[in-house]
Amino acid sequence: MSNDLSAPAQTSTGLVASIPESRIAGGRLRDDFRGISVVWRRELIRFSRNRVRIITALVQPVLFLFVLGTGLSPVLKGGPHGFDFKTFLFPGILGMTVLFTAMFSAVSIVWDREFGFMREMLVAPVRRSALVVGKCAGGATVATLQGAIIILLAGLVGVPYAPVLILTLLGEMALTAFGVTALGVLIAARMSQVESFQFVMQLLVLPMFFLSGAVFPLANLPQWLAVLTRLDPLSYAIAPMRTAVFEHLKVAPSLLKTLEPAITWDGWRVPLGLELGLIAAAAIVLLFAAVAQFSRPE
Amino acid sequence: MTSDTAMPNAEPGSSKASLDHHAPNTTWTRAEATSTGAAVEVIDLHKRYGELDAVKGINLSVAPGETFGFLGPNGAGKSTTIKILCTLVAPTSGLAQVAGYDVVKSRNEVRRRIGLVFQDTTLDDYLTAEENLRFHADLYGVPRKAVKSRLQEVMEMVGLWERRKSEVKTFSGGMKRRLEIGRGLLHAPRVLFLDEPTVGLDPQTRSHIWNYIHELRKREDITIFLTTHYMDEAENCDRIAIIDNGQIVAVDTPEALKASIGKDRVEIQTDSNSDTVNALKSHFGLDATESEGVVAFHVSGGEQFVPRLFSELSLPIRSIRVARPTLDDVFMNYTGRTIRDAESSISERMATNPWMRARSRR
């Protein structure tokens, strides 16, 4: 700690005297945690204050779940099992909610830059990594909360409100949300204008969503589509959630074969731990990449 | 160019102004706090953006407690210099120290000791005034116990304590600027940088902001470094540096700068301004300039010159005005043009240089 530059003269009656110079220091671990926490808190405040955003963000999942789900139900009901397609869809819609909310939250960095607030953060004596971690934690929390609102609808689509199931889903959503936010922050670091967000949605977020198995089973697909779905990281986030839901339902084994909640690699069933491990590893790699992007000198 | 040559010959006015302008001769190689105690010390600073030399060898020294103004047209290098001092942009070469720390080597040490108020707002509109300030306190590591009282102090000072629970998006431009000044002071910085603190504000709000700045100088033991392209605002500073084309062309107190011209400014309007300029040159050997329909020139003993002008100049004069030199004249004297002309020529230059245009948005 450097005290070379002595605090204001004792004669000073000004406001400066109220904070001794030596205590304004940053750069310690404690200061980094404070930096992380404040960026996180800001995300939560902005989320909770923007009711319109919370409600509009509910429209899309509800449409998918109840309109698409109900519309496609007769197709499945036509079979011998009488399984509600909405129940199948439910974990996919949780994944979708998390994907879109987390991505939106991360890309708000571009807005921050546009409206100047980014500069307030960048000139502060806080490590850039603390800012990025705080942002990712904030985005993850917000997306998980939005997903939690969808969980409230579980009963309407035949998914039980089992505490273990809810906790499992929340945990898996949080992990996914963290990874998606890190990806979004990494992209936003390179994005100079708000308009580019459209490209990200069309070229990245929508393909990720459609290839993830959120809206259709990943079993019995043609080769080309099967490969693409296995390359989509979001597939490995949706599968554990669907597995968790199916474990709490009584599903006929023959139906499980068609609806196949878990992912297979050339017939080999990918274990749950590996699925979650892949998501966690991707989240960490993306986080480090995002930190590296933000630490570049201007 | 060194600060020695940049100094006008006039005597330094205040005691602050005379403090250690010749620091370049002392040793400046250490990154840690130095003993000379200057709040801002800049030696032979250069910044090059591609082909464009934005800053071409600036030297200056600002004493603690001083209010130092950086005066010049947009694009003269003011903003680039202030960004270097705030650790936002790395210099191409040269040395810059703020509060005793090198802006490149000890970036965080500098950041902890400076407050920044930028031209563009950097507040979060969706947060309340108080939340914006708390956020800042956390980012700057203000001791938790000190936050509450300090927050009240600065908010009362900028007259926003009653509005602390309001979201910033409900604030007017002037209130936002005041809040930003308050926030810039929250962590008790040694040096407060104000980049065009009143730009875009109406005259009444501008004068309010200046009242706060004056109040601040009285109450806080703080160095204020501000940029402006308003001449009348520059008058408020202890010392001014006139910057043009990436170089400092003069540094002194406003009074000394004005006195250094030593001549009065005479403005005349005639039916034929170009003939008048020629006649002034041929009859009196005076270099006059024409700007906005007015012919202006500088002459010592302006009042005594007027009768000569009428008797010896055959051209009809419609109006005449004699004035003591202003900072406009100082600027004209050192740069050969008015600040307004300088701005228009720069905006033309920037229009033809897309790279520079992109830069200027930041």
Side-chain angles (χ1 to χ4, degrees), chain A residues 115-149:
Chain A
F115 297 110
F117 192 78
M118 180 63 90
R119 192 177 267 185
E120 155 78 357
M121 293 195 273
L122 293 185
V123 296
V126 176
R127 262 189 273 260
R128 297 274 163 96
S129 52
L131 300 176
V132 174
V133 171
K135 186 79 190 176
C136 291
T141 311
V142 164
T144 309
L145 286 175
Q146 188 85 38
I149 300 175

Side-chain angles (χ1 to χ4, degrees), chain A residues 1-9 12-28 30-43 45-46 49-50 112-128 131 192-193 295-298, chain B residues 32-34 37 47 83 86-90 99-101 107-109 111-113 116 118-128 131-132 134-147 149-150 153-154 157 167 183 186-190 195 219-222 359 361-362:
Chain A
M1 175 84 20
S2 172
N3 275 320
D4 310 2
L5 204 79
S6 55
S12 165
T13 53
L15 294 171
V16 184
S18 59
I19 303 176
E21 166 93 12
S22 60
R23 297 190 60 189
I24 317 173
R28 293 164 301 180
R30 184 150 44 102
D31 297 304
D32 286 334
F33 276 119
R34 211 170 157 190
I36 292 172
S37 124
V38 75
V39 178
W40 177 75
R41 269 205 323 276
R42 172 170 175 258
E43 287 299 311
I45 293 173
R46 285 177 65 105
R49 215 156 272 171
N50 201 341
D112 283 344
R113 195 180 289 134
E114 188 99 344
F115 297 110
F117 192 78
M118 180 63 90
R119 192 177 267 185
E120 155 78 357
M121 293 195 273
L122 293 185
V123 296
V126 176
R127 262 189 273 260
R128 297 274 163 96
L131 300 176
S192 53
Q193 45 192 353
S295 304
R296 276 185 318 166
E298 281 147 74
Chain B
E32 63 270 25
T34 53
K47 179 65 189 182
K83 277 180 190 155
C86 299
T87 77
L88 274 175
V89 169
Y101 290 92
R107 205 189 249 194
N108 273 356
E109 298 295 331
R111 288 180 175 182
R112 259 167 240 149
R113 289 166 178 80
L116 302 170
F118 296 107
Q119 278 182 53
D120 311 309
T121 172
T122 61
L123 298 162
D124 187 333
D125 270 6
Y126 286 93
L127 301 188
T128 65
E131 283 164 348
N132 266 289
R134 286 193 177 276
F135 192 105
H136 185 88
D138 282 346
L139 281 179
Y140 282 77
V142 177
R144 285 176 200 279
K145 271 180 268 171
V147 171
S149 58
R150 180 69 188 168
E153 275 175 321
V154 296
M157 183 177 160
E167 286 178 27
R183 186 180 65 179
L186 191 65
H187 56 289
R190 314 297 312 131
D195 191 11
R219 286 177 59 181
E220 303 241 357
D221 176 25
I222 193 168
R359 277 275 152 192
R361 282 186 66 228
R362 302 180 48 186

Side-chain angles (χ1 to χ4, degrees), chain A residues 208-229:
Chain A
M208 267 177 82
F209 165 61
F210 277 106
L211 292 172
S212 68
V215 287
F216 56 82
L218 295 184
N220 311 317
L221 294 173
Q223 184 70 19
W224 67 271
L225 187 55
V227 170
L228 285 179
T229 54

Side-chain angles (χ1 to χ4, degrees), chain B residues 35 68 81 107 136 218 248 279 306 316 354:
Chain B
S35 51
F68 189 85
T81 307
R107 205 189 249 194
H136 185 88
K218 267 186 261 161
I248 290 181
V306 170

Side-chain angles (χ1 to χ4, degrees), chain B residues 266-271 273 276 293-297 306 309-310 313 315-322:
Chain B
V266 182
E267 293 176 353
I268 56 177
Q269 278 184 302
T270 62
D271 291 329
N273 284 337
T276 312
V294 175
V295 175
F297 57 91
V306 170
L309 192 65
F310 275 101
L313 201 67
L315 294 157
I317 295 169
R318 281 195 276 132
S319 77
I320 190 156
R321 187 170 160 265
V322 180

